[in-house]
Amino acid sequence: MIEAIIQMQHVFKTYPSQISALSDVTLEIFPGEFTFIAGPSGSGKSTLLRILYCSEKPTSGEVIVHGMHITQPGFKKIYQLRQAMGIVSQDFKLLKDRTVTENITFALEVTGHPREEAKWKALEILRHLGLEERESDSIFSLSAGEQQRVAIARALVNSPSLLLADEPTGNLDAKMTLRVMDILTDLHQKGSTIVFATQFTGLIKRYSYRVIQILNGQILDGRKADTNKIHQG
Ligand SMILES: Nc1ncnc2c1ncn2[C@@H]1O[C@H](COP(=O)(O)OP(=O)(O)OP(=O)(O)O)[C@@H](O)[C@H]1O
Ligand SMILES: [Mg+2]
């Protein structure tokens, strides 16, 4: 039997403000799946992803990612967990005072890639994302859409076997959105697992990928793709 790459069992998340962001979330995502996490603003998509990359702890419930029991008390392998994935966070989390290239090569150099190779790889992905002319610019000087593309480049430069992307095309125009989707489709076809959170139903409907629909912190249908059930809005 194939083992899930992501397992969430009865996960609840209540913020100190008493807002219940996730309520009894149970789901499994298998290696090689492309899965949209779909739901309107405030439905819990970012909370769910932040729990998967251990930037947030659930209030209760169990989460296993890449075979690591990340919710077990005393779990300390956050570095190892994040090495095994690419992350595009909704707020980009870029090093603002560094250049575009430095933001991308940083991730490679800490995993032992020689500087020249890291730079070459960074430039290649920047070319794919139409940012080659901005390679030496500081993040401060970029628009939101350009920063988002740098965040995507940083996550993809390692060809991660698991990509967690939170609204990664939210600041991009239609043409660039399609280009990013093509790059992700290519990564998926090479075998990577992709989890893509978005509130844009139009985007989801263009693809026949699995959809996990979330509303008010609850999974409505996590078993199979059925884009007809996604709420417009
Ligand atoms: N750090 C926090 N402290 C308190 N409440 C939070 C926090 N983060 C999120 N929330 C609340 O939890 C709920 C889910 O938020 P979340 O950011 O996960 O939604 P989302 O689906 O990602 O929304 P969006 O599409 O706008 O990004 C919302 O009601 C939000 O206000
Ligand atoms: Mg969000």
Side-chain angles (χ1 to χ4, degrees):
M1 207 176 77
I2 301 170
E3 208 165 290
I5 193 166
I6 291 172
Q7 276 179 279
M8 301 181 89
Q9 297 272 1
H10 304 295
V11 170
F12 289 77
K13 175 69 185 180
T14 304
Y15 286 107
S17 54
Q18 296 309 311
I19 288 174
S20 167
L22 294 180
S23 182
D24 202 12
V25 168
T26 292
L27 60 83
E28 284 186 320
I29 293 174
F30 290 90
E33 280 194 299
F34 192 128
T35 304
F36 285 114
I37 307 290
S41 180
S43 57
K45 305 179 298 294
S46 296
T47 302
L48 190 155
L49 288 196
R50 285 198 296 267
I51 286 173
L52 293 179
Y53 59 81
C54 252
S55 143
E56 201 100 70
K57 283 253 173 260
T59 312
S60 63
E62 194 184 351
V63 182
I64 304 173
V65 179
H66 266 307
M68 292 179 239
H69 291 251
I70 65 173
T71 41
Q72 254 175 13
F75 175 74
K76 290 208 169 62
K77 294 184 179 164
I78 295 181
Y79 178 76
Q80 195 178 323
L81 174 81
R82 294 194 186 153
Q83 290 287 90
M85 56 172 62
I87 301 165
V88 184
S89 111
Q90 193 169 8
D91 54 0
F92 316 146
K93 296 253 180 323
L94 297 170
L95 303 167
K96 291 265 166 90
D97 55 344
R98 302 288 182 90
T99 68
V100 165
T101 308
E102 282 165 354
N103 265 274
I104 300 166
T105 54
F106 180 74
L108 286 168
E109 284 175 25
V110 294
T111 53
H113 287 75
R115 180 158 297 187
E116 275 313 301
E117 183 195 325
K119 192 147 186 233
W120 179 81
K121 279 180 167 253
L123 285 177
E124 191 189 15
I125 185 91
L126 285 173
R127 253 194 304 279
H128 280 300
L129 290 163
L131 279 177
E132 65 273 31
E133 282 170 14
R134 309 303 301 268
E135 55 160 318
S136 306
D137 291 349
S138 99
I139 297 297
F140 278 121
S141 69
L142 303 186
S143 73
E146 289 162 346
Q147 290 188 34
Q148 186 152 44
R149 279 183 274 160
V150 177
I152 294 167
R154 183 182 55 185
L156 294 181
V157 74
N158 268 328
S159 301
S161 61
L162 172 61
L163 177 74
L164 303 179
D166 194 355
E167 208 70 84
T169 57
N171 296 81
L172 306 185
D173 62 29
K175 191 170 155 216
M176 195 49 69
T177 296
L178 288 183
R179 195 181 299 185
V180 168
M181 291 308 291
D182 284 348
I183 295 172
L184 297 190
T185 298
D186 190 46
L187 184 69
H188 172 236
Q189 281 169 353
K190 287 178 178 147
S192 295
T193 310
I194 298 177
V195 182
F196 186 122
T198 185
Q199 56 173 294
F200 295 106
T201 53
L203 181 67
I204 293 164
K205 284 185 171 175
R206 291 181 76 104
Y207 300 88
S208 54
Y209 299 134
R210 179 181 175 195
V211 181
I212 294 179
Q213 196 183 345
I214 182 166
L215 190 64
N216 296 329
Q218 291 182 309
I219 301 296
L220 298 189
D221 184 354
R223 283 162 290 134
K224 58 186 187 320
D226 188 351
T227 48
N228 293 324
K229 288 192 183 165
I230 301 292
H231 295 285
Q232 298 293 332

mmCIF file of all heavy atoms in Angstrom, residues 42 44-47 50 90 166-167, ligand 2:
data_model
loop_
_atom_site.group_PDB
_atom_site.id
_atom_site.type_symbol
_atom_site.label_atom_id
_atom_site.label_comp_id
_atom_site.label_asym_id
_atom_site.label_seq_id
_atom_site.Cartn_x
_atom_site.Cartn_y
_atom_site.Cartn_z
ATOM 1 N N GLY A 42 -10.166 33.494 4.616
ATOM 2 C CA GLY A 42 -10.473 33.243 6.020
ATOM 3 C C GLY A 42 -10.915 31.823 6.314
ATOM 4 O O GLY A 42 -11.249 31.482 7.453
ATOM 5 N N GLY A 44 -9.120 29.078 6.283
ATOM 6 C CA GLY A 44 -8.156 28.259 7.020
ATOM 7 C C GLY A 44 -7.032 27.676 6.184
ATOM 8 O O GLY A 44 -6.219 26.889 6.684
ATOM 9 N N LYS A 45 -6.938 28.068 4.913
ATOM 10 C CA LYS A 45 -5.936 27.485 4.005
ATOM 11 C C LYS A 45 -4.504 27.731 4.498
ATOM 12 O O LYS A 45 -3.694 26.811 4.575
ATOM 13 C CB LYS A 45 -6.093 28.076 2.585
ATOM 14 C CG LYS A 45 -7.481 27.933 2.001
ATOM 15 C CD LYS A 45 -7.583 28.546 0.609
ATOM 16 C CE LYS A 45 -7.329 30.048 0.531
ATOM 17 N NZ LYS A 45 -8.338 30.884 1.212
ATOM 18 N N SER A 46 -4.215 28.991 4.841
ATOM 19 C CA SER A 46 -2.840 29.303 5.272
ATOM 20 C C SER A 46 -2.526 28.622 6.591
ATOM 21 O O SER A 46 -1.401 28.145 6.801
ATOM 22 C CB SER A 46 -2.651 30.812 5.421
ATOM 23 O OG SER A 46 -2.797 31.441 4.178
ATOM 24 N N THR A 47 -3.492 28.574 7.481
ATOM 25 C CA THR A 47 -3.283 27.906 8.768
ATOM 26 C C THR A 47 -2.923 26.443 8.529
ATOM 27 O O THR A 47 -1.971 25.912 9.119
ATOM 28 C CB THR A 47 -4.550 28.012 9.639
ATOM 29 O OG1 THR A 47 -4.864 29.397 9.808
ATOM 30 C CG2 THR A 47 -4.371 27.340 10.982
ATOM 31 N N ARG A 50 0.609 26.288 7.136
ATOM 32 C CA ARG A 50 1.630 26.639 8.150
ATOM 33 C C ARG A 50 1.837 25.488 9.125
ATOM 34 O O ARG A 50 2.945 25.255 9.610
ATOM 35 C CB ARG A 50 1.220 27.914 8.906
ATOM 36 C CG ARG A 50 1.402 29.187 8.086
ATOM 37 C CD ARG A 50 1.428 30.418 8.975
ATOM 38 N NE ARG A 50 0.184 30.647 9.679
ATOM 39 C CZ ARG A 50 -0.801 31.425 9.242
ATOM 40 N NH1 ARG A 50 -0.685 32.060 8.099
ATOM 41 N NH2 ARG A 50 -1.909 31.564 9.946
ATOM 42 N N GLN A 90 2.379 32.816 1.800
ATOM 43 C CA GLN A 90 1.508 33.852 1.226
ATOM 44 C C GLN A 90 2.152 35.236 1.349
ATOM 45 O O GLN A 90 1.932 36.100 0.517
ATOM 46 C CB GLN A 90 0.149 33.825 1.932
ATOM 47 C CG GLN A 90 -0.906 34.630 1.214
ATOM 48 C CD GLN A 90 -2.305 34.388 1.756
ATOM 49 O OE1 GLN A 90 -2.499 33.728 2.776
ATOM 50 N NE2 GLN A 90 -3.301 34.931 1.070
ATOM 51 N N ASP A 166 1.254 28.643 -1.019
ATOM 52 C CA ASP A 166 0.084 29.333 -0.484
ATOM 53 C C ASP A 166 -0.252 30.535 -1.366
ATOM 54 O O ASP A 166 0.467 31.537 -1.349
ATOM 55 C CB ASP A 166 0.379 29.801 0.953
ATOM 56 C CG ASP A 166 -0.880 30.217 1.685
ATOM 57 O OD1 ASP A 166 -1.966 30.238 1.052
ATOM 58 O OD2 ASP A 166 -0.779 30.519 2.887
ATOM 59 N N GLU A 167 -1.314 30.405 -2.121
ATOM 60 C CA GLU A 167 -1.772 31.456 -3.051
ATOM 61 C C GLU A 167 -0.591 31.983 -3.878
ATOM 62 O O GLU A 167 -0.356 33.206 -3.945
ATOM 63 C CB GLU A 167 -2.415 32.589 -2.243
ATOM 64 C CG GLU A 167 -3.476 33.371 -2.973
ATOM 65 C CD GLU A 167 -4.766 32.593 -3.224
ATOM 66 O OE1 GLU A 167 -5.628 32.545 -2.337
ATOM 67 O OE2 GLU A 167 -4.911 32.051 -4.329
HETATM 68 MG MG MG B 2 -4.163 32.548 3.319
#
